[in-house]
């Protein structure tokens, strides 16, 4: 083969290779384009799906109500119970929503102090006090079994303390005892309660209403005088001694050293200066710092939907500024202008829900700026068990659930729901 033919053969081979390569690149390019196009379409579909999901109505997600106790990390949410409401159908709502319980009545002095047993022992010791815990035992057991903390309500109160407790030999036909004897009875009573719960139910009680409703009268420092046998026998100093003995009993305990001690009262929105000043002065008379004895101020919280919430929150902050933490101990929010037997309107119920929500939002804001609102307790589980039900001048629509345990806007407000209206 001549050199010329060899040259033509090489040229033809090269040209063929070039043509084949061009065809390959064209075909591959089309395939790549199709792959990219498919991926783009696929990505577009996913993005569209995500966007569609994002833009969908939340289908009640905004309206979903969390259990009350799961909403507030700095504030225990409590309820007042009686022997009926620790049972079903109420118990399941308590367990789901609350991490604090208060006995509505069953820890008050006239339920706890035994007349017959005290009368037997007083013959040898005029300060002897005996106890009976039958009334509160089932509620205590319920709380222990369900890991729910308790507030003790209440040690010293002029109401629901038996009158015989202040008389010689525990006999109302005799004379009132003198101040020293009454101090001894108070001390034995307080020490006895603390010892019982420290021994039998360690770590159950986290707060004690030591003195209840003392500063509502015209006596020294505004002491309640009418019907107040504590003041009659001991004078206004009974407030000091009540906290002194309770603090000493806690210090001597094994499991209750960190329990918070409260002064508890109503209409506290107007009493920051009065109560704060009176407590400080009473303890100062004994050379004591009030903050060594009183940790917390209790706002009972029996209010209505006309409450000036700004002033109410301002009062809580006022006590925090004085160095106390605050607990709302007996919250219910009435709907005013409803006669007994009338039903509230939808608008009134929604307004009630708004007020519950305003209160809880305000508490969250106070805690964020350094206040300590450590507990909020509603005074009953449902409207049928409101202490105000059928009371003249009041109505029983102040609580979170209806009498049939259906939800109210009040419950949704306390749960900070965006939508307060209850869906059927």
């Amino acid at each position: 083969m001549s050199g010329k033919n060899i040259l033509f053969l090489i040229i033809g081979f090269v040209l063929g290779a070039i043509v084949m390569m061009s065809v390959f690149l064209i075909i591959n390019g089309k395939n790549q384009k199709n792959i990219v196009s498919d991926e783009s379409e696929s990505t577009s579909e996913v993005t569209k799906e995500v966007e569609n999901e994002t833009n969908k109505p939340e289908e009640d997600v905004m309206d979903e109500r969390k259990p009350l106790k799961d909403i507030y990390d700095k504030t225990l949410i409590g309820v007042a119970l009686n022997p009926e409401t620790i049972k079903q159908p109420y118990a399941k709502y308590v367990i789901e929503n609350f991490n604090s319980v208060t006995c509505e009545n069953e820890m008050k002095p006239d339920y706890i102090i035994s007349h017959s047993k005290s009368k037997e022992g007083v013959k040898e010791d005029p300060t002897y006090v005996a106890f009976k815990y039958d009334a509160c035992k089932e509620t205590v057991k319920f709380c222990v079994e369900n890991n729910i903390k308790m507030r003790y309500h209440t040690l010293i109160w002029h109401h629901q303390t038996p009158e015989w407790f202040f008389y010689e030999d525990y006999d109302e036909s005799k004379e009132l005892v003198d101040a020293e004897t009454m101090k001894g009875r108070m001390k034995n009573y307080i020490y006895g309660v603390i010892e019982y719960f420290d021994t039998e139910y360690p770590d159950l009680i986290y707060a004690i209403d030591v003195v209840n409703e003392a500063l509502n009268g015209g006596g020294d420092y505004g002491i309640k005088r009418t019907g107040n046998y504590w003041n009659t026998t001991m004078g206004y100093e009974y407030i000091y001694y009540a906290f002194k003995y309770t603090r000493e009993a806690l210090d001597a305990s094994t499991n209750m050293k960190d329990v918070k001690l409260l002064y508890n009262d109503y209409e506290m929105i107007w009493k920051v200066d009065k109560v704060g000043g009176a407590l400080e002065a009473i303890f100062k008379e004994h050379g004591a710092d009030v903050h060594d004895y009183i940790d917390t101020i209790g706002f009972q919280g029996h209010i209505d939907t006309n409450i000036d919430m700004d002033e109410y929150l301002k009062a809580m902050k006022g006590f925090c500024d004085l160095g106390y933490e605050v607990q709302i101990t007996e919250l219910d929010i009435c709907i005013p202008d409803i006669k007994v037997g009338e039903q509230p309107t939808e608008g009134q119920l929604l307004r009630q829900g708004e007020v519950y929500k305003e209160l809880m939002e305000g508490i969250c804001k106070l805690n964020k700026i350094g206040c300590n609102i450590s507990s909020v307790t509603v005074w009953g589980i449902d409207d049928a068990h409101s202490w105000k039900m059928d009371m003249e001048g009041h109505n029983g629509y102040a609580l979170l659930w209806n009498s049939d345990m259906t939800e109210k806007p009040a419950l949704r407000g306390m749960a900070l729901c965006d939508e307060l209206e209850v869906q059927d």
Side-chain angles (χ1 to χ4, degrees), residues 157-159 211-226 228 238-239 263-268 271 274-275 278 300:
W157 191 25
H158 57 279
H159 282 310
V211 176
N212 196 49
E213 298 179 1
L215 300 172
N216 291 303
D220 295 325
Y221 299 116
I223 290 288
K224 171 79 173 177
R225 292 184 297 186
T226 305
N228 186 354
Y238 84 86
I239 295 177
Y263 174 77
N264 188 53
D265 214 331
Y266 58 86
E267 295 182 352
M268 297 297 272
K271 293 180 179 177
K274 176 182 177 180
V275 170
Q300 289 187 1

PDB file of all heavy atoms in Angstrom, residues 157-159 211-226 228 238-239 263-268 271 274-275 278 300:
ATOM      1  N   TRP A 157     -56.623  30.831 111.586  1.00  0.00           N
ATOM      2  CA  TRP A 157     -57.710  31.614 110.994  1.00  0.00           C
ATOM      3  C   TRP A 157     -58.781  31.809 112.048  1.00  0.00           C
ATOM      4  O   TRP A 157     -59.049  30.908 112.851  1.00  0.00           O
ATOM      5  CB  TRP A 157     -58.278  30.868 109.783  1.00  0.00           C
ATOM      6  CG  TRP A 157     -59.221  31.651 108.919  1.00  0.00           C
ATOM      7  CD1 TRP A 157     -59.278  33.010 108.784  1.00  0.00           C
ATOM      8  CD2 TRP A 157     -60.234  31.122 108.056  1.00  0.00           C
ATOM      9  NE1 TRP A 157     -60.258  33.367 107.891  1.00  0.00           N
ATOM     10  CE2 TRP A 157     -60.860  32.220 107.426  1.00  0.00           C
ATOM     11  CE3 TRP A 157     -60.673  29.834 107.779  1.00  0.00           C
ATOM     12  CZ2 TRP A 157     -61.907  32.067 106.511  1.00  0.00           C
ATOM     13  CZ3 TRP A 157     -61.698  29.674 106.861  1.00  0.00           C
ATOM     14  CH2 TRP A 157     -62.307  30.772 106.240  1.00  0.00           C
ATOM     15  N   HIS A 158     -59.400  32.999 112.055  1.00  0.00           N
ATOM     16  CA  HIS A 158     -60.443  33.262 113.042  1.00  0.00           C
ATOM     17  C   HIS A 158     -61.735  32.512 112.705  1.00  0.00           C
ATOM     18  O   HIS A 158     -62.560  32.279 113.580  1.00  0.00           O
ATOM     19  CB  HIS A 158     -60.710  34.767 113.174  1.00  0.00           C
ATOM     20  CG  HIS A 158     -61.093  35.433 111.893  1.00  0.00           C
ATOM     21  ND1 HIS A 158     -60.151  35.815 110.947  1.00  0.00           N
ATOM     22  CD2 HIS A 158     -62.302  35.763 111.377  1.00  0.00           C
ATOM     23  CE1 HIS A 158     -60.765  36.365 109.923  1.00  0.00           C
ATOM     24  NE2 HIS A 158     -62.062  36.349 110.156  1.00  0.00           N
ATOM     25  N   HIS A 159     -61.934  32.175 111.435  1.00  0.00           N
ATOM     26  CA  HIS A 159     -63.054  31.318 111.049  1.00  0.00           C
ATOM     27  C   HIS A 159     -62.615  29.854 111.085  1.00  0.00           C
ATOM     28  O   HIS A 159     -61.442  29.531 110.946  1.00  0.00           O
ATOM     29  CB  HIS A 159     -63.527  31.643 109.628  1.00  0.00           C
ATOM     30  CG  HIS A 159     -64.361  32.877 109.549  1.00  0.00           C
ATOM     31  ND1 HIS A 159     -65.437  33.105 110.376  1.00  0.00           N
ATOM     32  CD2 HIS A 159     -64.298  33.945 108.715  1.00  0.00           C
ATOM     33  CE1 HIS A 159     -65.980  34.270 110.061  1.00  0.00           C
ATOM     34  NE2 HIS A 159     -65.302  34.799 109.067  1.00  0.00           N
ATOM     35  N   VAL A 211     -51.118  32.159 108.391  1.00  0.00           N
ATOM     36  CA  VAL A 211     -52.143  33.060 108.923  1.00  0.00           C
ATOM     37  C   VAL A 211     -53.034  33.500 107.776  1.00  0.00           C
ATOM     38  O   VAL A 211     -52.549  33.906 106.713  1.00  0.00           O
ATOM     39  CB  VAL A 211     -51.516  34.279 109.623  1.00  0.00           C
ATOM     40  CG1 VAL A 211     -52.601  35.251 110.083  1.00  0.00           C
ATOM     41  CG2 VAL A 211     -50.663  33.840 110.810  1.00  0.00           C
ATOM     42  N   ASN A 212     -54.332  33.443 108.001  1.00  0.00           N
ATOM     43  CA  ASN A 212     -55.310  33.729 106.961  1.00  0.00           C
ATOM     44  C   ASN A 212     -56.213  34.889 107.376  1.00  0.00           C
ATOM     45  O   ASN A 212     -56.780  34.877 108.477  1.00  0.00           O
ATOM     46  CB  ASN A 212     -56.167  32.463 106.737  1.00  0.00           C
ATOM     47  CG  ASN A 212     -56.948  32.494 105.440  1.00  0.00           C
ATOM     48  OD1 ASN A 212     -56.409  32.775 104.387  1.00  0.00           O
ATOM     49  ND2 ASN A 212     -58.237  32.172 105.526  1.00  0.00           N
ATOM     50  N   GLU A 213     -56.291  35.896 106.525  1.00  0.00           N
ATOM     51  CA  GLU A 213     -57.270  36.981 106.654  1.00  0.00           C
ATOM     52  C   GLU A 213     -57.220  37.704 108.004  1.00  0.00           C
ATOM     53  O   GLU A 213     -58.256  37.952 108.623  1.00  0.00           O
ATOM     54  CB  GLU A 213     -58.689  36.442 106.417  1.00  0.00           C
ATOM     55  CG  GLU A 213     -58.885  35.877 105.025  1.00  0.00           C
ATOM     56  CD  GLU A 213     -60.290  35.323 104.817  1.00  0.00           C
ATOM     57  OE1 GLU A 213     -61.113  35.397 105.749  1.00  0.00           O
ATOM     58  OE2 GLU A 213     -60.557  34.796 103.723  1.00  0.00           O
ATOM     59  N   ALA A 214     -56.047  38.065 108.456  1.00  0.00           N
ATOM     60  CA  ALA A 214     -55.934  38.727 109.762  1.00  0.00           C
ATOM     61  C   ALA A 214     -56.004  40.238 109.671  1.00  0.00           C
ATOM     62  O   ALA A 214     -56.375  40.900 110.642  1.00  0.00           O
ATOM     63  CB  ALA A 214     -54.621  38.324 110.429  1.00  0.00           C
ATOM     64  N   LEU A 215     -55.630  40.809 108.536  1.00  0.00           N
ATOM     65  CA  LEU A 215     -55.446  42.259 108.437  1.00  0.00           C
ATOM     66  C   LEU A 215     -56.587  42.903 107.654  1.00  0.00           C
ATOM     67  O   LEU A 215     -56.396  43.550 106.626  1.00  0.00           O
ATOM     68  CB  LEU A 215     -54.089  42.566 107.779  1.00  0.00           C
ATOM     69  CG  LEU A 215     -52.885  42.022 108.549  1.00  0.00           C
ATOM     70  CD1 LEU A 215     -51.603  42.185 107.745  1.00  0.00           C
ATOM     71  CD2 LEU A 215     -52.755  42.706 109.908  1.00  0.00           C
ATOM     72  N   ASN A 216     -57.795  42.743 108.182  1.00  0.00           N
ATOM     73  CA  ASN A 216     -58.983  43.283 107.518  1.00  0.00           C
ATOM     74  C   ASN A 216     -59.881  44.073 108.461  1.00  0.00           C
ATOM     75  O   ASN A 216     -61.054  44.270 108.162  1.00  0.00           O
ATOM     76  CB  ASN A 216     -59.809  42.120 106.932  1.00  0.00           C
ATOM     77  CG  ASN A 216     -59.109  41.461 105.773  1.00  0.00           C
ATOM     78  OD1 ASN A 216     -58.777  42.101 104.797  1.00  0.00           O
ATOM     79  ND2 ASN A 216     -58.859  40.162 105.890  1.00  0.00           N
ATOM     80  N   GLY A 217     -59.351  44.516 109.570  1.00  0.00           N
ATOM     81  CA  GLY A 217     -60.198  45.174 110.557  1.00  0.00           C
ATOM     82  C   GLY A 217     -59.666  46.517 110.995  1.00  0.00           C
ATOM     83  O   GLY A 217     -58.786  47.103 110.359  1.00  0.00           O
ATOM     84  N   GLY A 218     -60.187  46.978 112.121  1.00  0.00           N
ATOM     85  CA  GLY A 218     -59.830  48.303 112.607  1.00  0.00           C
ATOM     86  C   GLY A 218     -58.942  48.283 113.830  1.00  0.00           C
ATOM     87  O   GLY A 218     -58.746  49.320 114.479  1.00  0.00           O
ATOM     88  N   GLY A 219     -58.402  47.128 114.183  1.00  0.00           N
ATOM     89  CA  GLY A 219     -57.521  47.039 115.341  1.00  0.00           C
ATOM     90  C   GLY A 219     -56.112  47.510 115.013  1.00  0.00           C
ATOM     91  O   GLY A 219     -55.846  48.048 113.931  1.00  0.00           O
ATOM     92  N   ASP A 220     -55.200  47.328 115.965  1.00  0.00           N
ATOM     93  CA  ASP A 220     -53.808  47.712 115.743  1.00  0.00           C
ATOM     94  C   ASP A 220     -53.277  47.032 114.486  1.00  0.00           C
ATOM     95  O   ASP A 220     -53.443  45.824 114.292  1.00  0.00           O
ATOM     96  CB  ASP A 220     -52.959  47.308 116.950  1.00  0.00           C
ATOM     97  CG  ASP A 220     -53.338  48.068 118.208  1.00  0.00           C
ATOM     98  OD1 ASP A 220     -53.704  49.258 118.093  1.00  0.00           O
ATOM     99  OD2 ASP A 220     -53.308  47.474 119.301  1.00  0.00           O
ATOM    100  N   TYR A 221     -52.620  47.838 113.638  1.00  0.00           N
ATOM    101  CA  TYR A 221     -52.089  47.361 112.359  1.00  0.00           C
ATOM    102  C   TYR A 221     -53.182  46.820 111.431  1.00  0.00           C
ATOM    103  O   TYR A 221     -52.906  46.072 110.503  1.00  0.00           O
ATOM    104  CB  TYR A 221     -51.016  46.285 112.571  1.00  0.00           C
ATOM    105  CG  TYR A 221     -49.830  46.761 113.356  1.00  0.00           C
ATOM    106  CD1 TYR A 221     -49.529  46.223 114.599  1.00  0.00           C
ATOM    107  CD2 TYR A 221     -49.003  47.772 112.852  1.00  0.00           C
ATOM    108  CE1 TYR A 221     -48.438  46.673 115.327  1.00  0.00           C
ATOM    109  CE2 TYR A 221     -47.919  48.229 113.566  1.00  0.00           C
ATOM    110  CZ  TYR A 221     -47.633  47.681 114.806  1.00  0.00           C
ATOM    111  OH  TYR A 221     -46.545  48.148 115.518  1.00  0.00           O
ATOM    112  N   GLY A 222     -54.425  47.210 111.701  1.00  0.00           N
ATOM    113  CA  GLY A 222     -55.523  46.742 110.861  1.00  0.00           C
ATOM    114  C   GLY A 222     -55.955  45.327 111.160  1.00  0.00           C
ATOM    115  O   GLY A 222     -56.562  44.653 110.322  1.00  0.00           O
ATOM    116  N   ILE A 223     -55.688  44.862 112.390  1.00  0.00           N
ATOM    117  CA  ILE A 223     -56.030  43.493 112.771  1.00  0.00           C
ATOM    118  C   ILE A 223     -57.542  43.303 112.795  1.00  0.00           C
ATOM    119  O   ILE A 223     -58.293  44.158 113.271  1.00  0.00           O
ATOM    120  CB  ILE A 223     -55.459  43.159 114.170  1.00  0.00           C
ATOM    121  CG1 ILE A 223     -53.930  43.063 114.104  1.00  0.00           C
ATOM    122  CG2 ILE A 223     -56.042  41.869 114.709  1.00  0.00           C
ATOM    123  CD1 ILE A 223     -53.415  41.848 113.394  1.00  0.00           C
ATOM    124  N   LYS A 224     -57.981  42.164 112.275  1.00  0.00           N
ATOM    125  CA  LYS A 224     -59.381  41.768 112.375  1.00  0.00           C
ATOM    126  C   LYS A 224     -59.703  41.484 113.837  1.00  0.00           C
ATOM    127  O   LYS A 224     -59.065  40.653 114.485  1.00  0.00           O
ATOM    128  CB  LYS A 224     -59.601  40.516 111.533  1.00  0.00           C
ATOM    129  CG  LYS A 224     -60.957  39.855 111.703  1.00  0.00           C
ATOM    130  CD  LYS A 224     -62.025  40.561 110.924  1.00  0.00           C
ATOM    131  CE  LYS A 224     -63.343  39.778 110.986  1.00  0.00           C
ATOM    132  NZ  LYS A 224     -64.422  40.476 110.299  1.00  0.00           N
ATOM    133  N   ARG A 225     -60.700  42.175 114.395  1.00  0.00           N
ATOM    134  CA  ARG A 225     -61.023  42.016 115.812  1.00  0.00           C
ATOM    135  C   ARG A 225     -62.327  41.244 116.033  1.00  0.00           C
ATOM    136  O   ARG A 225     -62.400  40.383 116.899  1.00  0.00           O
ATOM    137  CB  ARG A 225     -61.131  43.385 116.488  1.00  0.00           C
ATOM    138  CG  ARG A 225     -59.798  44.114 116.581  1.00  0.00           C
ATOM    139  CD  ARG A 225     -59.923  45.425 117.335  1.00  0.00           C
ATOM    140  NE  ARG A 225     -60.809  46.390 116.659  1.00  0.00           N
ATOM    141  CZ  ARG A 225     -60.981  47.643 117.060  1.00  0.00           C
ATOM    142  NH1 ARG A 225     -60.349  48.089 118.128  1.00  0.00           N
ATOM    143  NH2 ARG A 225     -61.778  48.456 116.404  1.00  0.00           N
ATOM    144  N   THR A 226     -63.343  41.555 115.255  1.00  0.00           N
ATOM    145  CA  THR A 226     -64.651  40.941 115.459  1.00  0.00           C
ATOM    146  C   THR A 226     -64.597  39.439 115.209  1.00  0.00           C
ATOM    147  O   THR A 226     -64.207  38.987 114.130  1.00  0.00           O
ATOM    148  CB  THR A 226     -65.697  41.578 114.525  1.00  0.00           C
ATOM    149  OG1 THR A 226     -65.705  42.989 114.707  1.00  0.00           O
ATOM    150  CG2 THR A 226     -67.079  41.010 114.805  1.00  0.00           C
ATOM    151  N   ASN A 228     -62.599  37.307 116.317  1.00  0.00           N
ATOM    152  CA  ASN A 228     -61.233  36.795 116.198  1.00  0.00           C
ATOM    153  C   ASN A 228     -60.696  36.450 117.583  1.00  0.00           C
ATOM    154  O   ASN A 228     -60.123  37.284 118.277  1.00  0.00           O
ATOM    155  CB  ASN A 228     -60.344  37.838 115.522  1.00  0.00           C
ATOM    156  CG  ASN A 228     -58.942  37.320 115.228  1.00  0.00           C
ATOM    157  OD1 ASN A 228     -58.580  36.217 115.628  1.00  0.00           O
ATOM    158  ND2 ASN A 228     -58.159  38.121 114.538  1.00  0.00           N
ATOM    159  N   TYR A 238     -50.339  37.545 117.872  1.00  0.00           N
ATOM    160  CA  TYR A 238     -50.573  36.164 117.447  1.00  0.00           C
ATOM    161  C   TYR A 238     -50.020  35.916 116.049  1.00  0.00           C
ATOM    162  O   TYR A 238     -49.612  34.788 115.718  1.00  0.00           O
ATOM    163  CB  TYR A 238     -52.058  35.805 117.541  1.00  0.00           C
ATOM    164  CG  TYR A 238     -52.945  36.180 116.386  1.00  0.00           C
ATOM    165  CD1 TYR A 238     -53.092  35.335 115.286  1.00  0.00           C
ATOM    166  CD2 TYR A 238     -53.696  37.359 116.396  1.00  0.00           C
ATOM    167  CE1 TYR A 238     -53.949  35.650 114.238  1.00  0.00           C
ATOM    168  CE2 TYR A 238     -54.544  37.687 115.357  1.00  0.00           C
ATOM    169  CZ  TYR A 238     -54.676  36.831 114.279  1.00  0.00           C
ATOM    170  OH  TYR A 238     -55.522  37.158 113.250  1.00  0.00           O
ATOM    171  N   ILE A 239     -49.960  36.951 115.219  1.00  0.00           N
ATOM    172  CA  ILE A 239     -49.395  36.788 113.871  1.00  0.00           C
ATOM    173  C   ILE A 239     -47.917  36.439 113.975  1.00  0.00           C
ATOM    174  O   ILE A 239     -47.428  35.508 113.315  1.00  0.00           O
ATOM    175  CB  ILE A 239     -49.614  38.076 113.045  1.00  0.00           C
ATOM    176  CG1 ILE A 239     -51.104  38.308 112.813  1.00  0.00           C
ATOM    177  CG2 ILE A 239     -48.858  37.993 111.723  1.00  0.00           C
ATOM    178  CD1 ILE A 239     -51.415  39.586 112.062  1.00  0.00           C
ATOM    179  N   TYR A 263     -48.516  34.479 104.345  1.00  0.00           N
ATOM    180  CA  TYR A 263     -49.645  35.238 104.847  1.00  0.00           C
ATOM    181  C   TYR A 263     -50.634  35.326 103.698  1.00  0.00           C
ATOM    182  O   TYR A 263     -50.291  35.774 102.603  1.00  0.00           O
ATOM    183  CB  TYR A 263     -49.245  36.643 105.321  1.00  0.00           C
ATOM    184  CG  TYR A 263     -50.485  37.428 105.703  1.00  0.00           C
ATOM    185  CD1 TYR A 263     -51.122  37.184 106.910  1.00  0.00           C
ATOM    186  CD2 TYR A 263     -51.061  38.344 104.822  1.00  0.00           C
ATOM    187  CE1 TYR A 263     -52.293  37.852 107.247  1.00  0.00           C
ATOM    188  CE2 TYR A 263     -52.233  39.014 105.148  1.00  0.00           C
ATOM    189  CZ  TYR A 263     -52.849  38.760 106.356  1.00  0.00           C
ATOM    190  OH  TYR A 263     -54.028  39.394 106.676  1.00  0.00           O
ATOM    191  N   ASN A 264     -51.885  34.923 103.940  1.00  0.00           N
ATOM    192  CA  ASN A 264     -52.893  34.799 102.878  1.00  0.00           C
ATOM    193  C   ASN A 264     -54.082  35.702 103.172  1.00  0.00           C
ATOM    194  O   ASN A 264     -54.580  35.741 104.295  1.00  0.00           O
ATOM    195  CB  ASN A 264     -53.352  33.329 102.818  1.00  0.00           C
ATOM    196  CG  ASN A 264     -54.251  33.045 101.625  1.00  0.00           C
ATOM    197  OD1 ASN A 264     -53.901  33.346 100.493  1.00  0.00           O
ATOM    198  ND2 ASN A 264     -55.412  32.452 101.892  1.00  0.00           N
ATOM    199  N   ASP A 265     -54.556  36.439 102.144  1.00  0.00           N
ATOM    200  CA  ASP A 265     -55.659  37.365 102.387  1.00  0.00           C
ATOM    201  C   ASP A 265     -56.383  37.680 101.078  1.00  0.00           C
ATOM    202  O   ASP A 265     -55.908  37.361  99.986  1.00  0.00           O
ATOM    203  CB  ASP A 265     -55.138  38.658 103.022  1.00  0.00           C
ATOM    204  CG  ASP A 265     -56.118  39.272 104.016  1.00  0.00           C
ATOM    205  OD1 ASP A 265     -57.339  39.084 103.848  1.00  0.00           O
ATOM    206  OD2 ASP A 265     -55.660  39.940 104.969  1.00  0.00           O
ATOM    207  N   TYR A 266     -57.542  38.353 101.204  1.00  0.00           N
ATOM    208  CA  TYR A 266     -58.325  38.744 100.034  1.00  0.00           C
ATOM    209  C   TYR A 266     -58.168  40.241  99.765  1.00  0.00           C
ATOM    210  O   TYR A 266     -57.621  40.984 100.586  1.00  0.00           O
ATOM    211  CB  TYR A 266     -59.797  38.371 100.207  1.00  0.00           C
ATOM    212  CG  TYR A 266     -60.486  38.963 101.422  1.00  0.00           C
ATOM    213  CD1 TYR A 266     -61.051  40.226 101.381  1.00  0.00           C
ATOM    214  CD2 TYR A 266     -60.567  38.237 102.609  1.00  0.00           C
ATOM    215  CE1 TYR A 266     -61.689  40.765 102.488  1.00  0.00           C
ATOM    216  CE2 TYR A 266     -61.209  38.757 103.720  1.00  0.00           C
ATOM    217  CZ  TYR A 266     -61.777  40.024 103.654  1.00  0.00           C
ATOM    218  OH  TYR A 266     -62.397  40.554 104.764  1.00  0.00           O
ATOM    219  N   GLU A 267     -58.621  40.656  98.575  1.00  0.00           N
ATOM    220  CA  GLU A 267     -58.546  42.062  98.149  1.00  0.00           C
ATOM    221  C   GLU A 267     -57.137  42.622  98.262  1.00  0.00           C
ATOM    222  O   GLU A 267     -56.939  43.793  98.614  1.00  0.00           O
ATOM    223  CB  GLU A 267     -59.538  42.917  98.947  1.00  0.00           C
ATOM    224  CG  GLU A 267     -60.992  42.535  98.675  1.00  0.00           C
ATOM    225  CD  GLU A 267     -61.984  43.405  99.425  1.00  0.00           C
ATOM    226  OE1 GLU A 267     -61.553  44.213 100.274  1.00  0.00           O
ATOM    227  OE2 GLU A 267     -63.185  43.273  99.164  1.00  0.00           O
ATOM    228  N   MET A 268     -56.163  41.809  97.942  1.00  0.00           N
ATOM    229  CA  MET A 268     -54.768  42.238  98.071  1.00  0.00           C
ATOM    230  C   MET A 268     -54.377  43.291  97.043  1.00  0.00           C
ATOM    231  O   MET A 268     -53.329  43.927  97.170  1.00  0.00           O
ATOM    232  CB  MET A 268     -53.845  41.021  97.959  1.00  0.00           C
ATOM    233  CG  MET A 268     -54.046  40.011  99.080  1.00  0.00           C
ATOM    234  SD  MET A 268     -53.648  40.695 100.694  1.00  0.00           S
ATOM    235  CE  MET A 268     -51.904  40.343 100.784  1.00  0.00           C
ATOM    236  N   LYS A 271     -53.854  46.316  99.066  1.00  0.00           N
ATOM    237  CA  LYS A 271     -53.250  46.171 100.392  1.00  0.00           C
ATOM    238  C   LYS A 271     -51.726  46.061 100.405  1.00  0.00           C
ATOM    239  O   LYS A 271     -51.168  45.609 101.405  1.00  0.00           O
ATOM    240  CB  LYS A 271     -53.828  44.929 101.082  1.00  0.00           C
ATOM    241  CG  LYS A 271     -55.303  45.031 101.423  1.00  0.00           C
ATOM    242  CD  LYS A 271     -55.772  43.756 102.105  1.00  0.00           C
ATOM    243  CE  LYS A 271     -57.234  43.832 102.484  1.00  0.00           C
ATOM    244  NZ  LYS A 271     -57.697  42.556 103.077  1.00  0.00           N
ATOM    245  N   LYS A 274     -50.514  48.471 103.161  1.00  0.00           N
ATOM    246  CA  LYS A 274     -51.107  48.133 104.456  1.00  0.00           C
ATOM    247  C   LYS A 274     -50.540  46.830 105.001  1.00  0.00           C
ATOM    248  O   LYS A 274     -50.049  46.767 106.130  1.00  0.00           O
ATOM    249  CB  LYS A 274     -52.623  48.027 104.322  1.00  0.00           C
ATOM    250  CG  LYS A 274     -53.326  47.581 105.599  1.00  0.00           C
ATOM    251  CD  LYS A 274     -54.828  47.455 105.404  1.00  0.00           C
ATOM    252  CE  LYS A 274     -55.511  46.948 106.674  1.00  0.00           C
ATOM    253  NZ  LYS A 274     -56.974  46.822 106.520  1.00  0.00           N
ATOM    254  N   VAL A 275     -50.612  45.780 104.210  1.00  0.00           N
ATOM    255  CA  VAL A 275     -50.149  44.469 104.672  1.00  0.00           C
ATOM    256  C   VAL A 275     -48.633  44.444 104.806  1.00  0.00           C
ATOM    257  O   VAL A 275     -48.086  43.963 105.805  1.00  0.00           O
ATOM    258  CB  VAL A 275     -50.645  43.351 103.732  1.00  0.00           C
ATOM    259  CG1 VAL A 275     -49.973  42.014 104.050  1.00  0.00           C
ATOM    260  CG2 VAL A 275     -52.163  43.215 103.828  1.00  0.00           C
ATOM    261  N   ALA A 278     -47.692  46.497 107.896  1.00  0.00           N
ATOM    262  CA  ALA A 278     -48.112  45.891 109.157  1.00  0.00           C
ATOM    263  C   ALA A 278     -47.232  44.691 109.513  1.00  0.00           C
ATOM    264  O   ALA A 278     -46.788  44.546 110.659  1.00  0.00           O
ATOM    265  CB  ALA A 278     -49.571  45.468 109.062  1.00  0.00           C
ATOM    266  N   GLN A 300     -55.740  35.712  97.495  1.00  0.00           N
ATOM    267  CA  GLN A 300     -56.815  34.728  97.363  1.00  0.00           C
ATOM    268  C   GLN A 300     -57.394  34.720  95.947  1.00  0.00           C
ATOM    269  O   GLN A 300     -57.672  33.652  95.400  1.00  0.00           O
ATOM    270  CB  GLN A 300     -57.898  34.993  98.397  1.00  0.00           C
ATOM    271  CG  GLN A 300     -57.447  34.639  99.813  1.00  0.00           C
ATOM    272  CD  GLN A 300     -58.552  34.735 100.822  1.00  0.00           C
ATOM    273  OE1 GLN A 300     -59.702  35.043 100.509  1.00  0.00           O
ATOM    274  NE2 GLN A 300     -58.221  34.482 102.081  1.00  0.00           N
TER     275      GLN A 300
END
